Amino acid sequence: MVATRLPDPPPRLWRNPEPKRHYDVVIVGSGGHGLATAYYLARNHGIRDVAVLERGWLAGGNMARNTTIIRSNYLFDESAALYDHALELWEQLPAELDHDFLLSQRGVLNLAHTEQEVRDSRRRVFANRLNGVDAEWVEPAEIAELCPIIDLSPDVRYPVLGATYQRRGGIAKHDHVAWALARKADEMGVDLVQGCEVTGFQLDGDRVTGVHTSRGPIGAGRVALAAAGRTTLLTDQLGLRLPLQSHPLQALVSELLEPVHPCVVMSNHVHVYCSQAHKGELVLGAGIDSYNGYGQRGSVHVIERQMAAALELFPIFARAHVIRTWAGTVDVTPDASPIIGPTPYQDLYVNCGWGTGGFKATPAVGWVYAHTIATGRPHPLAEPYGLERFTTGALIDEHGAAAVAH
Ligand SMILES: Cc1cc2nc3c(=O)[nH]c(=O)nc-3n(C[C@H](O)[C@H](O)[C@H](O)COP(=O)(O)OP(=O)(O)OC[C@H]3O[C@@H](n4cnc5c(N)ncnc54)[C@H](O)[C@@H]3O)c2cc1C
């Protein structure tokens, strides 16, 4: 039988509006952070005259490129509070957004390979527990039960001496998270405008009154940046120098495999982390490429090191093939913690510096950034993350203390 007409296309998840000439709030960047902020501005604060302006396509930046690890077992009180708030919101969001984005709380192991790492990791477990974060120290015998494919032989270059374990940690399907947030924000009246690059700012003295874009000027009561690795390209135009460096961060996936890898495994010493995506690919990543740049590509030798490290931990993967590598552009601060809050310019807010680890924070960023924009005052969870810390010296040196990325 010959079909007389094509099937109806699926209903669109969001509209594709022409930008208006003015909004109460303009958010720059439709990654997870920009979308979550728009969602919570509408949901928590009733602010719906909001546009999210995106130079490319919705969630095509780091939101599409990350390795989706979610956890909250950070060392310092400020970090634990923020990331654990995110984890609580992750647990509520599938029902609230009415979208199954495949949150899989399969547990995250952070391996320790040296005596110093054992001491540091155990300290982190104790600190986590004091902060109400679920954290355990596990010995090699328990690791063998949790993830039987790790090479636990004592005679390898870096034997596994134990691990921290967060049962509530895991992964979620990043593109679905973005679509779920976008759909709800759109339903509440937020304009999601793709193909609209912000090229500059409208100013009235030291007050930001709008933005210049590739689709004309747009006035705004408040402007909130959520532009990740391209933040400084924007703030430099105001002469506002932020303590940020943009770097490529790469990841790779293997061909599809049967389920073999039951949890997320991270190792800073051998330097790789690995999980198995819902579809079956192994997802691997490591640290940043060391040079600065805004290109979404990285160096081959960094990928080679990731694969060599993965094989040290998982010799079983020796015959797996890599099918795809890619990079995002991540914005890194001197203490590897984010910047969230007001700027010296009135009505201009900034959320940036999430470096290698901002996906897991997505709902909490939306929650605290929306509060900050709506009230003009930092949310209590965001207060330690203001720009002032780089002059007061109250850094949150999570990277230095725990040496844990992602
Ligand atoms: C390879 C890789 C692996 C990662 N793995 C993890 C992980 O496992 N767990 C984790 O927690 N985090 C991880 N991250 C980090 C995480 O992806 C980021 O911290 C997070 O996505 C940042 O969110 P965002 O919404 O700010 O960024 P983005 O998704 O990058 O959003 C910023 C948006 O702003 C847009 N934009 C920029 N400039 C302009 C402009 N002038 N006008 C309009 N739009 C503009 C961009 O196009 C982009 O869409 C990883 C990152 C990478 C690259």
Side-chain angles (χ1 to χ4, degrees):
M1 199 174 90
V2 181
T4 51
R5 62 191 280 269
L6 291 171
D8 289 336
R12 285 191 179 275
L13 290 180
W14 54 84
R15 294 163 296 126
N16 192 20
E18 276 302 309
K20 295 191 297 186
R21 295 283 54 105
H22 189 278
Y23 291 91
D24 285 348
V25 178
V26 160
I27 297 171
V28 184
S30 76
H33 291 193
L35 292 170
T37 304
Y39 169 66
Y40 284 119
L41 272 172
R43 177 193 179 275
N44 291 0
H45 304 280
I47 299 177
R48 295 172 179 222
D49 186 29
V50 176
V52 183
L53 307 182
E54 170 55 51
R55 69 191 283 273
W57 62 96
L58 191 125
N62 293 331
M63 185 64 173
R65 294 158 196 272
N66 71 76
T67 46
T68 77
I69 298 173
I70 292 173
R71 61 186 181 86
S72 65
N73 54 352
Y74 283 72
L75 178 72
F76 288 117
D77 298 352
E78 299 87 343
S79 322
L82 187 58
Y83 289 100
D84 211 51
H85 183 52
L87 196 42
E88 283 164 13
L89 293 172
W90 279 118
E91 287 164 346
Q92 299 164 18
L93 272 179
E96 185 177 312
L97 299 176
D98 189 22
H99 195 123
D100 179 10
F101 49 71
L102 304 180
L103 174 66
S104 165
Q105 292 179 290
R106 57 181 67 183
V108 175
L109 282 169
N110 286 97
L111 305 181
H113 299 269
T114 65
E115 291 299 339
Q116 184 60 44
E117 260 192 318
V118 171
R119 282 190 288 273
D120 291 347
S121 304
R122 290 174 71 97
R123 176 178 69 144
R124 188 152 55 84
V125 167
F126 296 137
N128 286 165
R129 290 214 189 139
L130 289 173
N131 278 315
V133 174
D134 68 303
E136 295 165 47
W137 172 255
V138 289
E139 298 288 339
E142 288 166 272
I143 297 174
E145 280 171 30
L146 292 165
C147 190
I149 57 174
I150 300 179
D151 185 355
L152 293 168
S153 340
D155 56 354
V156 292
R157 188 166 66 123
Y158 293 116
V160 176
L161 303 180
T164 66
Y165 184 49
Q166 185 176 23
R167 288 178 194 271
R168 286 165 66 232
I171 59 171
K173 194 127 176 45
H174 46 7
D175 40 4
H176 285 247
V177 174
W179 301 338
L181 287 165
R183 187 183 63 153
K184 277 290 176 205
D186 174 87
E187 271 174 24
M188 290 191 283
V190 171
D191 279 359
L192 306 173
V193 187
Q194 305 180 67
C196 183
E197 176 161 12
V198 172
T199 53
F201 298 92
Q202 298 171 6
L203 283 173
D204 179 4
D206 64 358
R207 185 167 163 251
V208 169
T209 57
V211 288
H212 298 292
T213 83
S214 53
R215 291 168 70 172
I218 300 176
R222 283 150 283 180
V223 174
L225 304 184
R230 301 182 72 86
T231 303
T232 50
L233 294 174
L234 289 163
T235 51
D236 279 358
Q237 297 188 38
L238 294 166
L240 174 60
R241 296 207 61 202
L242 297 182
L244 288 175
Q245 293 197 4
S246 291
H247 289 267
L249 176 66
Q250 302 191 68
L252 62 97
V253 286
S254 74
E255 64 208 302
L256 306 189
L257 303 176
E258 294 296 321
V260 285
H261 193 310
C263 56
V264 179
V265 174
M266 310 178 71
S267 163
N268 283 313
H269 216 80
V270 180
H271 209 179
V272 73
Y273 60 90
C274 183
S275 67
Q276 187 165 17
H278 297 88
K279 256 196 313 187
E281 313 104 310
L282 299 172
V283 182
L284 271 70
I288 54 174
D289 280 34
S290 55
Y291 61 90
N292 298 142
Y294 296 101
Q296 289 167 315
R297 73 190 80 89
S299 314
V300 173
H301 69 269
V302 176
I303 288 290
E304 281 175 345
R305 276 195 218 127
Q306 284 180 30
M307 290 192 289
L311 286 189
E312 270 194 74
L313 291 179
F314 305 100
I316 187 179
F317 296 151
R319 288 165 60 198
H321 296 102
V322 170
I323 54 163
R324 196 155 44 86
T325 76
W326 67 88
T329 312
V330 296
D331 42 336
V332 183
T333 60
D335 60 356
S337 284
I339 301 169
I340 315 166
T343 68
Y345 282 87
Q346 206 186 324
D347 294 328
L348 178 69
Y349 297 87
V350 72
N351 163 66
C352 59
W354 287 92
T356 61
F359 172 70
K360 67 179 72 61
T362 299
V365 171
W367 189 280
V368 301
Y369 200 29
H371 172 103
T372 305
I373 298 160
T375 64
R377 290 185 310 279
H379 186 280
L381 290 175
E383 228 169 301
Y385 292 96
L387 266 172
E388 318 73 58
R389 77 177 189 275
F390 299 101
T391 43
T392 62
L395 301 179
I396 306 166
D397 196 359
E398 198 60 55
H399 210 171
V404 177
H406 303 287

